[in-house]
Amino acid sequence: MKKLVKDFSFSAIVAGFITVLVGFSSSGVLVFQAAQALGATPAQSSSWLWALCMGMGLTSIGLSWYYKTPIPTAWSTAAAAMLISVAEHLTLDEATGAFIISGLLITLSGFSGIFERVMRFVPMSLASAMLAGILLRFSLQAVNALQTHLALILAMFMAYLVAKRLKPRYAVLVALIMGISMAYGQDLIHLQEISYQAIHPVWVTPSFSWHSILGVAIPLFIVTMTSQNMAGIAAIRSFSYHAPVSPLVGWTGLATVVFAPFGAFAINLAAITAAICLSSEAHENKQRRYVAGIMSGVFYLLMGIFAASLAHLLTALPKELIIGVAGIALLATIGNGLVQALAIEHEREAALICFVVTVSGISLWGIDRKSVV
């Protein structure tokens, strides 16, 4: 605890907050859509968000603190999208059973070491190229947003560049403050009435069938491992952290199992949002960045407790503001990924192909880089 207090920093708090802001704003709506598609009541839909935030909060805090590495977790956006597509053939209790089976498979593949052995065959250059390709779309979206909100995005970029020269640790925060100020001045922030009421978790008794196991649980497991956990490990490796792969994946799977009856369909390692905590924006001292991972967990717990209120607050912000913050916050990570991807000459062409394919957005077997958070 003394070390945590000593390593605490304001920049880590900011990185943790931006991690949650980007993570929720980029795909939070899919969680509600997936729950509603499966016939969930409003209370059950809110319970889904509570369960995911509790699982993500606890794992982010626990793993980041224990391994002294920033390890924020996330829900699987790909899994949410998949659930929406198969919802008409599934009941809520069958879906809950599928969540548990998928979580058990993730737990087994993690703690058994199978997934870690597979990852050893993935060269660092390819992992870095894949990560850079995944993250690039956020910065491209920020640039494209200039076409519709020139003043807002340009002011954020200029604020970031000035702060990067004067106070690098707070450059992203300065950009966020500038963005909020500009959005407020342009009347782009529409605050609704917010009721500060805690959400109550709703238990759904799971049912198991071969139909739900083969048609949902196994695809859910595959999509989560390939599009989320593999990218998450790539993010951690790209910043030269060496936390063991097996327990990281295993604990996210176990968290999924525990919170599945309340709506946690897939909790996994974060990739895009993890890069915010892993980069120098969190702290120039690499050994102190784990605090950002802990703070992301704290903010996720708060999100879970006051999910409805915070959901309204975050959705009141214009999407261009979120896109701008994400694009700016990930610039350094994209650069770092490209440097590592192209560093080894005999692996350079393969890494470049991996980067191009990832950036292209091609979708195979329902998996694409747009599904990674």
Side-chain angles (χ1 to χ4, degrees), residues 76-101:
S76 173
T77 308
M82 190 195 80
L83 288 172
I84 295 173
S85 66
V86 302
E88 59 181 297
H89 307 293
L90 206 65
T91 63
L92 187 59
D93 56 339
E94 285 179 325
T96 302
F99 302 163
I100 294 175
I101 296 298

Side-chain angles (χ1 to χ4, degrees), residues 314-372:
L314 293 180
T315 53
L317 300 175
K319 66 177 182 179
E320 290 79 12
L321 172 60
I322 307 301
I323 290 172
V325 170
I328 289 171
L330 295 171
L331 281 173
T333 304
I334 295 170
N336 180 70
L338 286 174
V339 168
Q340 294 194 38
L342 305 177
I344 303 177
E345 185 174 357
H346 70 271
E347 295 180 356
R348 188 171 298 164
E349 189 170 19
L352 186 59
I353 292 173
C354 179
F355 175 75
V356 171
V357 171
T358 305
V359 172
S360 72
I362 186 173
S363 177
L364 295 174
W365 307 295
I367 302 170
D368 63 64
R369 58 105 168 102
K370 294 181 181 180
S371 301
V372 184

Side-chain angles (χ1 to χ4, degrees), residues 1-313:
M1 185 59 69
K2 290 183 179 180
K3 178 174 174 55
L4 178 60
V5 173
K6 179 182 177 181
D7 292 342
F8 215 77
S9 65
F10 184 67
S11 58
I13 298 176
V14 173
F17 173 74
I18 293 177
T19 295
V20 175
L21 178 68
V22 173
F24 180 86
S25 301
S26 63
S27 60
V29 66
L30 283 179
V31 175
F32 290 102
Q33 289 178 345
Q36 292 168 1
L38 288 165
T41 65
Q44 289 170 331
S45 298
S46 297
S47 180
W48 276 42
L49 187 59
W50 175 88
L52 289 166
C53 288
M54 288 295 108
M56 290 152 51
L58 293 174
T59 50
S60 297
I61 293 172
L63 294 175
S64 298
W65 177 79
Y66 187 80
Y67 292 107
K68 297 300 182 289
T69 298
I71 308 175
T73 55
W75 58 61
S76 173
T77 308
M82 190 195 80
L83 288 172
I84 295 173
S85 66
V86 302
E88 59 181 297
H89 307 293
L90 206 65
T91 63
L92 187 59
D93 56 339
E94 285 179 325
T96 302
F99 302 163
I100 294 175
I101 296 298
S102 176
L104 288 173
L105 291 174
I106 294 172
T107 304
L108 178 62
S109 66
F111 287 129
S112 67
I114 295 175
F115 183 68
E116 184 170 8
R117 287 194 289 272
V118 172
M119 285 298 296
R120 288 175 184 168
F121 292 98
V122 181
M124 186 64 206
S125 58
L126 292 185
S128 298
M130 180 181 68
L131 179 65
I134 290 171
L135 301 182
L136 181 61
R137 74 180 175 101
F138 282 84
S139 291
L140 291 177
Q141 286 177 347
V143 174
N144 290 333
L146 286 167
Q147 299 178 36
T148 55
H149 289 77
L150 176 62
L152 173 65
I153 302 300
L154 189 59
M156 293 175 66
F157 269 114
M158 293 303 296
Y160 169 78
L161 292 175
V162 172
K164 191 71 174 178
R165 174 61 68 95
L166 301 177
K167 290 287 184 180
R169 285 173 58 185
Y170 304 109
V172 177
L173 175 61
V174 171
L176 176 61
I177 294 174
M178 175 61 75
I180 293 175
S181 301
M182 289 291 294
Y184 183 80
Q186 295 177 354
D187 198 28
L188 297 175
I189 298 178
H190 305 289
L191 292 174
Q192 304 174 6
E193 183 178 350
I194 300 175
S195 58
Y196 295 92
Q197 295 180 351
I199 283 180
H200 300 287
V202 179
W203 172 277
V204 174
T205 301
S207 66
F208 303 92
S209 66
W210 286 113
H211 164 71
S212 63
I213 293 174
L214 297 177
V216 181
I218 293 178
L220 189 63
F221 162 71
I222 294 173
V223 166
T224 302
M225 295 300 289
T226 54
S227 70
Q228 298 282 169
N229 282 331
M230 187 170 290
I233 295 300
I236 295 171
R237 285 183 173 182
S238 69
F239 286 90
S240 301
Y241 285 101
H242 303 289
V245 173
S246 296
L248 300 186
V249 174
W251 281 111
T252 59
L254 190 59
T256 300
V257 174
V258 171
F259 289 99
F262 303 101
F265 53 86
I267 297 171
N268 44 252
L269 298 175
I272 292 171
T273 50
I276 299 172
C277 292
L278 288 160
S279 72
S280 58
E281 306 292 349
H283 201 282
E284 68 271 13
N285 186 342
K286 176 183 171 182
Q287 305 303 321
R288 296 177 62 178
R289 296 177 195 169
Y290 73 95
V291 178
I294 293 176
M295 290 309 303
S296 71
V298 171
F299 284 118
Y300 270 125
L301 290 180
L302 292 174
M303 173 71 79
I305 295 172
F306 301 103
S309 303
L310 291 176
H312 285 138
L313 179 61

